[in-house]
Amino acid sequence: MEHVTASEEPSATLMYHVERPVFNEGYIDSKLLHRKKRTPKSFQLRIAEHLQCSSKKARSVVFGFLPILTWLPSYPLKQYLFGDIVSGISTGVMQLPQGLAYAMLAAVPPVFGLYSSFYPVLLYTFFGTSKHISIGTFAVISLMIGGVAVREAPDSMFAVNGTNASQVVDFEARDARRVEVVVALTTLVGIIQFVLGLLRFGFLAIYLTEPLVRGFTTAAAVHVSVSQIKYLLGVHTARFNGPLSVVHSLDAVFRNISSTNVVTLIIGLVCIVFLYFIKDLNERFKKKLPIPIPGEIIVVIVSTGISYGMVMSENYGVEVVGKIPTGLLPPKIPDFSVFPNLFPDAFAIAVVGFSIAISLAKIFAFKHGYSVDGNQELIALGLCNFLSSFFHTFVVTASMSRSLVQESTGGHTEIAGLLASLLVLLVVVAIGFVFQPLPTTVLAAIIFVNLLGMFRQIKDIPALWRTSKIELAIWLVSFFASVFLGLDYGLVVAMGFAILTVIYRTQCPKNALLGQIPGTGLYFDVNEYEEAEECSGIKIFQSNASIYFANSDLYVSALKAKTGIDPAQLLAARKSQLKYAKRDNGKRKTENHCSPVKKNAVVLLDMELGVTREVVAGAEKQMDHVYTNGQMTENHAESESEDDLFLQRLTPVHTIVLDFTPVNFIDSVGAKTIKSVIKEFATVDVKVVLAGCSRTLLSDLRTLKFFCEPVTPDLIFPTIHDAVLHCRHSKDVQ
């Protein structure tokens, strides 16, 4: 019987009263619980139900595939339209210079960054479930794409003989080939993301833990910064890829630093200072400003005008963006022949891109009280990348900086993203040529300032040091591996290390002996809490890990170490004990024939020290205590023979309770290990029982044939308190 009572006074303490028999699993399964009768459906019936079509199911499928249909019909024009227009213009203005800049990271001409800022954004409006993220070019993804493009189409492939037998590069042919590689890579990424979405692999992002992603993106910021130094200085160096590419890039820049273009450097530094100042103003006065000051577009327009007016490209040798074709290119089928070489890179980019997008989507969804579907987000990103690739785009994902602008300027839905893409379309179709005199150092400055948010993630290190050393290790491994091995190999190493930390945690769980809080049915670690008292003759062992092939031996070792009971050592000590007893009994008989003085011997056993001791006393002396298992127990009469000695208990502990409350699963190796533990401890007259098993765990144990003699369901108890009460009663009855 169970009930809760309370006094009528508001401050009275609620009292929890329980009065029921002690239950074990044998009684619960046979008398207390009865399974519901269910008729299993045949395979054909399940397939038929799955393929059955109804108007409700069709509606659900269509609305799930096109989330825009769920909110567009009820779109509140008066409340949302103005905010979405302001947000769309603000985001589009920011998207223009970033598209041009990130195309440089992707190793393709700048106009392809504008294409990638239009088509995918337009498509995401229809297929995405987030209302606030800004889809488009992103520094980390662009850099990963650029690494693949440079590897597959290096400058050496397009070297031609110049004057005086010098080697020059056919830049037009090189860029055309790199565009083909990047477009094919984008197609493959889209296919991978779409297929993963159909297979319901939206959970994939959980394996990219937050410290791993933040360490990885910080390392990517290092790669991006190093790759832009040459544009900031105006020096010409090769682009490096693969392990130690950061070191090689820095080395190349410093070797050519004497050829720095001073005008290019001054323009870049002035733009960095101005952009940082504007970003700081926007951050400080974001509550007072209706929209953020568009520092990036201001810098682009002003620097383009100055460059055009002063003819910087010809007069000062300043490198500019160059030709930007007006209008959209006709669709083209990607080059499928390069797919085999690109698949590993495509999979890594697909996973990283999805992880970044879903992380931002969940942040804004939580803030504004709606939900996002990870599987549909995979499908949406896959369609955005796959369909857009036919129109010469590269891989896109959500941008942190643009998403913050889109949300903070009043954006309510992806209508803002749609308007931003239309603004980009206007530039591409009508006025793209205006940006041809834009110095590339300005784009490098924009990239540098936009990376500040990623570099601030270094502050994670002291925070993680205080909270979780393992997560700190994941962050550091992800960062250093990605910096020195490259983003592709670094990601693989970081994921492998993260998985190893999970194994480490199961290999090194926290083990404890539990004690009862007097007057309650609560049990806590005796080493942590003063009130927790061990039950006489009962050891309660808890390990906060599941039991499977990798840690089953460690579980048994921890059990023996914590309880201080090792059956093998106890039995060995018993044999030694009997040996000494027989020898002393023979001596005693000999001495009785030649002396009236009778001497007695008793062997003391100290298992915690792992030694045995022999104590000899006079005829009248009696041993008051015997140390067994490191604890002092009463011994009111000496054993007169080895038979009496053999009947003494090897340990005062008669029962061990294994708390299985933290155990989520157990495999066949773990089940065999626990069964062998029960049998092994029974040889020294110590009973082992289990407590706190979940119904799922019990089902697994039955499947694994765990319950067979001498292990029966009667050894399983629903709670620790049930097990303790049963064991106390059994001992009292004996």
Side-chain angles (χ1 to χ4, degrees):
M1 183 178 181
E2 184 175 325
H3 61 278
V4 178
T5 61
S7 166
E8 293 182 357
E9 297 180 12
S11 61
T13 302
L14 288 171
M15 300 299 293
Y16 179 56
H17 298 279
V18 177
E19 184 179 347
R20 63 167 175 79
V22 171
F23 292 149
N24 58 39
E25 184 55 32
Y27 178 84
I28 291 175
D29 199 49
S30 61
K31 301 290 180 63
L32 192 64
L33 295 179
H34 300 87
R35 293 187 178 275
K36 292 182 177 179
K37 294 182 179 179
R38 293 177 179 175
T39 304
K41 296 179 180 178
S42 64
F43 178 76
Q44 292 83 354
L45 183 59
R46 289 199 300 269
I47 292 295
E49 289 182 354
H50 183 72
L51 297 177
Q52 185 180 7
C53 186
S54 64
S55 59
K56 184 178 179 181
K57 189 172 183 179
R59 180 185 175 90
S60 175
V61 170
V62 172
F63 277 43
F65 189 69
L66 290 169
I68 190 173
L69 298 178
T70 61
W71 55 266
L72 187 60
S74 58
Y75 181 81
L77 287 174
K78 293 183 179 180
Q79 296 178 359
Y80 285 2
L81 186 59
F82 179 75
D84 281 341
I85 291 175
V86 173
S87 175
I89 294 174
S90 303
T91 307
V93 166
M94 191 175 182
Q95 202 156 24
L96 284 170
Q98 287 190 3
L100 294 170
Y102 294 155
M104 289 172 36
L105 294 178
V108 294
V111 69
F112 292 93
L114 297 181
Y115 298 154
S116 302
S117 299
F118 167 61
Y119 291 107
V121 181
L122 182 67
L123 290 170
Y124 186 81
T125 304
F126 297 93
F127 298 106
T129 59
S130 175
K131 300 177 182 178
H132 294 91
I133 62 173
S134 174
I135 293 295
T137 57
F138 187 58
V140 175
I141 299 298
S142 299
L143 186 67
M144 296 178 74
I145 296 167
V148 178
V150 172
R151 185 193 70 209
E152 296 295 322
D155 290 346
S156 58
M157 285 180 60
F158 304 93
V160 295
N161 290 328
T163 57
N164 299 325
S166 61
Q167 295 289 327
V168 296
V169 176
D170 185 350
F171 293 107
E172 187 173 344
R174 183 201 65 181
D175 290 344
R177 180 55 183 167
R178 286 182 177 178
V179 168
E180 290 180 354
V181 171
V182 168
V183 167
L185 178 66
T186 304
T187 305
L188 190 54
V189 168
I191 293 172
I192 291 172
Q193 289 177 331
F194 184 75
V195 171
L196 290 176
L198 291 180
L199 296 177
R200 321 305 288 174
F201 269 75
F203 67 88
L204 195 64
I206 65 176
Y207 290 100
L208 293 176
T209 178
E210 184 179 0
L212 186 152
V213 172
R214 293 175 73 86
F216 176 80
T217 52
T218 307
V222 173
H223 279 275
V224 173
S225 300
V226 170
S227 71
Q228 295 305 296
I229 292 177
K230 65 178 183 180
Y231 296 107
L232 184 67
L233 299 177
V235 299
H236 296 277
T237 65
R239 180 164 178 163
F240 298 92
N241 188 42
L244 299 179
S245 59
V246 169
V247 177
H248 296 316
S249 298
L250 288 174
D251 178 66
V253 168
F254 285 121
R255 287 178 183 273
N256 294 275
I257 200 167
S258 58
S259 61
T260 298
N261 186 308
V262 178
V263 176
T264 298
L265 178 60
I266 292 173
I267 294 172
L269 292 177
V270 170
C271 291
I272 288 175
V273 172
F274 177 77
L275 288 171
Y276 182 80
F277 176 72
I278 295 298
K279 188 175 283 289
D280 187 60
L281 279 181
N282 286 334
E283 186 65 27
R284 289 189 179 186
F285 302 102
K286 61 182 178 181
K287 294 184 178 179
K288 296 181 180 180
L289 292 172
I291 61 172
I293 302 172
E296 293 173 340
I297 198 65
I298 292 173
V299 163
V300 167
I301 293 173
V302 172
S303 59
T304 301
I306 294 174
S307 175
Y308 177 77
M310 298 180 66
V311 196
M312 286 186 170
S313 176
E314 298 179 4
N315 295 339
Y316 301 98
V318 175
E319 189 174 345
V320 297
V321 168
K323 184 180 179 180
I324 297 180
T326 302
L328 300 173
L329 296 178
K332 182 181 178 181
I333 297 176
D335 181 7
F336 298 109
S337 64
V338 296
F339 274 18
N341 296 338
L342 304 180
F343 186 81
D345 304 284
F347 189 84
I349 293 172
V351 173
V352 173
F354 169 65
S355 177
I356 293 170
I358 195 64
S359 299
L360 284 172
K362 285 183 176 180
I363 290 172
F364 290 115
F366 179 77
K367 181 178 179 180
H368 293 277
Y370 63 93
S371 61
V372 291
D373 183 351
N375 296 311
Q376 179 59 28
E377 285 297 299
L378 262 176
I379 292 174
L381 283 174
L383 288 173
C384 289
N385 286 315
F386 175 73
L387 297 177
S388 301
S389 68
F390 291 89
F391 297 91
H392 314 278
T393 65
F394 55 84
V395 182
V396 297
T397 186
S399 165
M400 188 181 303
S401 56
R402 293 197 308 272
S403 297
L404 289 171
V405 168
Q406 182 169 317
E407 187 261 350
S408 62
T409 53
H412 298 286
T413 66
E414 280 301 323
I415 292 294
L418 176 64
L419 295 174
S421 68
L422 294 179
L423 182 60
V424 174
L425 176 64
L426 176 65
V427 172
V428 172
V429 172
I431 58 175
F433 66 92
V434 172
F435 298 105
Q436 291 180 172
L438 174 65
T440 55
T441 186
V442 176
L443 299 179
I446 291 172
I447 292 172
F448 273 120
V449 175
N450 278 306
L451 292 175
L452 289 176
M454 292 188 188
F455 280 117
R456 290 194 186 102
Q457 294 176 151
I458 294 176
K459 295 179 181 178
D460 293 349
I461 294 176
L464 290 173
W465 174 262
R466 293 189 296 269
T467 57
S468 174
K469 302 293 191 301
I470 291 180
E471 290 189 338
L472 173 61
I474 294 174
W475 196 102
L476 292 174
V477 169
S478 177
F479 174 78
F480 286 110
S482 300
V483 166
F484 292 109
L485 299 179
L487 296 180
D488 44 4
Y489 293 121
L491 179 64
V492 173
V493 171
M495 291 183 68
F497 182 78
I499 293 172
L500 287 178
T501 62
V502 176
I503 298 174
Y504 169 78
R505 293 188 186 195
T506 62
Q507 295 268 337
C508 301
K510 182 179 179 181
N511 303 307
L513 284 181
L514 307 185
Q516 183 181 12
I517 306 300
T520 72
L522 304 177
Y523 294 81
F524 296 100
D525 189 349
V526 295
N527 291 328
E528 293 285 338
Y529 302 99
E530 295 179 355
E531 293 81 4
E533 298 178 359
E534 285 198 68
C535 304
S536 178
I538 300 174
K539 296 283 186 180
I540 306 169
F541 177 73
Q542 182 190 73
S543 180
N544 62 340
S546 296
I547 306 171
Y548 63 111
F549 67 93
N551 70 346
S552 56
D553 289 340
L554 297 175
Y555 183 91
V556 176
S557 300
L559 169 64
K560 293 177 180 179
K562 275 289 182 180
T563 59
I565 304 173
D566 188 332
Q569 291 186 12
L570 286 174
L571 290 174
R574 166 56 58 82
K575 292 179 181 178
S576 176
Q577 196 176 20
L578 288 174
K579 178 181 176 182
Y580 280 115
K582 289 178 179 179
R583 186 190 67 183
D584 293 339
N585 194 30
K587 286 182 179 180
R588 189 161 53 244
K589 291 178 179 178
T590 303
E591 290 170 356
N592 286 340
H593 286 92
C594 53
S595 173
V597 180
K598 179 182 179 182
K599 292 187 177 181
N600 300 298
V602 66
V603 177
L604 306 185
L605 176 64
D606 189 338
M607 281 312 303
E608 288 188 352
L609 297 178
V611 298
T612 58
R613 304 173 189 162
E614 182 181 351
V615 178
V616 180
E620 302 297 328
K621 184 176 179 180
Q622 278 191 286
M623 297 300 298
D624 295 325
H625 302 90
V626 173
Y627 285 86
T628 308
N629 193 32
Q631 299 185 13
M632 189 168 61
T633 58
E634 296 293 332
N635 184 36
H636 298 291
E638 292 184 67
S639 298
E640 295 293 336
S641 67
E642 61 269 23
D643 294 333
D644 294 334
L645 189 61
F646 187 79
L647 292 175
Q648 293 179 7
R649 288 191 61 84
L650 291 172
T651 170
V653 176
H654 56 80
T655 305
I656 293 177
V657 179
L658 303 181
D659 180 18
F660 269 32
T661 305
V663 178
N664 293 319
F665 71 92
I666 188 169
D667 67 356
S668 60
V669 176
K672 290 176 182 177
T673 300
I674 297 302
K675 185 179 289 189
S676 67
V677 164
I678 294 173
K679 294 178 180 178
E680 185 180 8
F681 277 81
T683 60
V684 291
D685 200 23
V686 176
K687 185 178 182 180
V688 178
V689 299
L690 279 58
C693 297
S694 66
R695 307 309 300 176
T696 303
L697 187 63
L698 286 169
S699 177
D700 292 341
L701 290 174
R702 290 190 181 92
T703 303
L704 295 170
K705 310 297 182 184
F706 181 75
F707 298 112
C708 58
E709 290 296 337
V711 182
T712 65
D714 293 340
L715 297 178
I716 315 294
F717 296 89
T719 67
I720 297 175
H721 201 50
D722 281 285
V724 169
L725 292 177
H726 170 82
C727 296
R728 281 177 176 170
H729 176 72
S730 299
K731 184 62 179 174
D732 292 341
V733 171
Q734 292 175 2

